Amino acid sequence: QAAADPTSSSDAPEDGPKETSSVSQNISDADAFKILLEMKMKKRQKKPALPSTVTELDTEDGSKVYVVGTAHFSDSSKKDVVKTIQEVQPDVVVVELCQYRVSMLKMDEKTLLKEAKEINLEKLQQAIKQNGVMSGLMQMLLLKVSAHITEQLGMAPGGEFREAFKEASKVPFCKFHLGDRPIPVTFKRAIAALSFWQKVKLAWGLCFLSDPISKDDVEKCKQKDLLEQMMAEMIGEFPDLHRTIVSERDIYLTYMLKQAAKQIELPRASETEPRKYVPAVVVGVVGMGHVPGIEKNWNSDLNIQEIMSVPPPSASSKIFKFVIKATVFGLMGYGCYRIGQRTVQFILSMPAAQSYLQKLTEIRSQH
């Protein structure tokens, strides 16, 4: 620290930096690693005092996984995440995010709040380009739900993930993993699972969402994912949608947590020293609605290849896509027609045009 801080090193005696340099040269990377690891282990609580929202899971090789169930718009969930990471000093932190949503970790609360409230044509085009027409529209409708909650509460989503990212950076040798299935896969599978009328019904319900939400309502939703509960209340139960958006992601999240919980290798002083492995400590940060599914799948042999595949579009999807395109082009054509009609009427009503038409009429009558 003295070497890194210009103010402290300038006030130090002349032989100070030399002494620091000689000490640092005598400590190898492996020794420094061991010292930091020992400090981390001393700070790690053997019997951590964990919030009631934490579920503890064990692996066959002795690793421990602490799953923090959160409400995505909750201040208390942020505190639960911070306390859990500080208490257990994990080797890995896994969050319910994928690479398509990782940007929310680096954005400040004010920017996120603004972004979440603004749903414009540019975002729609980006969603369609990334996910296709149907999945892009579905993503925008669900973003509308999220924007509605954001506007009602004045709170940006994903606060618990940002807290997890900050706290993980403070823990020595702690890795940060994205544990959720890529969102384009989820939406494409969700669209493929719905019939034509289910898609219409779902879109209708999401388009006309306007019920007020309080912070107390959010805290009550700790027993179920907020978006899932709102969708169920608005438009009834969708078993196929629940399967693709919740149940399949339960399997994916469980798989990623188990991958993160593999034993870790201890540092070695030299290449000749035998490798030693110890059980890992993992903290998972997921929506409360996923916790029961993770517990259910924990001791099962999981294969995620099937839930990562995107089925070909069904006949109903093609019909719905055609209807959407026909509607859009029809509205555009009608708009152009109305604009053109009004333009012609406006030009004909001008005095110069009236005079010109009168002259043409007179010329035709003479011939």
Side-chain angles (χ1 to χ4, degrees), residues 311-323:
S314 62
S316 64
S317 292
K318 291 177 180 177
I319 293 169
F320 194 61
K321 185 176 179 180
F322 173 77
V323 169

Side-chain angles (χ1 to χ4, degrees), residues 73 204 236:
F73 294 83
W204 182 267

Side-chain angles (χ1 to χ4, degrees), residues 78-93:
K78 296 180 191 178
K79 295 174 184 175
D80 291 351
V81 169
V82 171
K83 183 172 178 60
T84 303
I85 292 175
Q86 289 178 348
E87 286 282 315
V88 306
Q89 294 289 295
D91 303 302
V92 186
V93 171

Side-chain angles (χ1 to χ4, degrees), residues 226-273:
L226 184 58
L227 291 179
E228 179 197 347
Q229 180 162 323
M230 289 185 66
M231 286 165 62
E233 289 175 354
M234 284 188 302
I235 47 181
E237 295 295 339
F238 284 83
D240 292 326
L241 197 65
H242 183 278
R243 174 176 56 81
T244 53
I245 291 182
V246 181
S247 301
E248 288 183 358
R249 287 172 61 226
D250 289 345
I251 294 171
Y252 191 92
L253 287 164
T254 306
Y255 178 84
M256 295 302 288
L257 286 168
K258 291 177 82 169
Q259 289 293 108
K262 290 182 177 180
Q263 290 191 332
I264 59 171
E265 183 183 351
L266 291 176
R268 296 181 295 161
S270 65
E271 292 294 327
T272 56
E273 187 178 335

